[in-house]
Amino acid sequence: MTSQSQGIQQLLQAEKRAKDKLEEAKKRKGKRLKQAKEEATAEIDHYRLQREKEFRNKETNVMGSQGNLSAKIEEQTTEAIRNLTSSYHRNMESMMKKLLSTIFDISPEIHPNFRPAA
């Protein structure tokens, strides 16, 4: 009977050791997964930074030429506004005279379709 109880004890101890090894393996697996996830995240961040840097370089190249273009358009717009303003100041007095003379110089006339009452 003691040999049976010793055998059972050995089996229980072996089962406990197996369970401990299994838990240890699960912990190692969890650590490896966590480490792999961290490495993947770091690699993704590195790739993202690299692609953003390339994008900024391309954007700078494209926007640099557009920047010159926008400065040229701004200069042309300013020149056009300056021309319109000077034209306004040159012609304002004569246009006001024409407008006022049209409004105030009224010559009353009888309409051609008017027939006096007989």
Side-chain angles (χ1 to χ4, degrees), residues 4-5 12 15 20 37 47 51 57 92 102 112 117:
Q4 274 184 337
S5 84
L12 288 174
E15 187 178 340
D20 289 343
K37 186 176 180 180
Y47 180 75
R51 296 297 286 177
N57 287 339
M92 181 181 70
T102 303

Side-chain angles (χ1 to χ4, degrees), residues 65-101:
S65 62
Q66 286 182 352
N68 295 339
L69 183 62
S70 66
K72 188 174 181 181
I73 290 172
E74 184 71 30
E75 183 180 318
Q76 289 174 349
T77 304
T78 305
E79 183 65 30
I81 290 172
R82 200 175 311 122
N83 289 339
L84 287 172
T85 305
S86 66
S87 174
Y88 166 77
H89 288 296
R90 271 194 321 266
N91 299 321
M92 181 181 70
E93 189 68 30
S94 64
M95 285 306 298
M96 288 301 287
K97 285 180 182 178
K98 283 182 184 179
L99 183 63
L100 290 175
S101 68

Side-chain angles (χ1 to χ4, degrees), residues 12-63:
L12 288 174
Q13 287 175 354
E15 187 178 340
K16 186 177 181 199
R17 283 192 305 257
K19 191 182 276 188
D20 289 343
K21 285 185 179 183
L22 224 133
E23 287 179 24
E24 181 74 26
K26 284 182 181 179
K27 287 180 183 178
R28 279 185 289 172
K29 182 180 176 184
K31 285 181 183 178
R32 280 195 311 243
L33 285 174
K34 188 175 180 180
Q35 182 182 5
K37 186 176 180 180
E38 289 172 357
E39 288 174 0
T41 304
E43 190 174 331
I44 289 170
D45 289 341
H46 176 71
Y47 180 75
R48 181 180 294 127
L49 289 174
Q50 179 184 1
R51 296 297 286 177
E52 284 178 2
K53 184 178 178 183
E54 290 175 12
F55 174 74
R56 281 192 218 106
N57 287 339
K58 288 180 182 180
E59 185 180 42
T60 302
N61 291 340
V62 170
M63 294 302 280

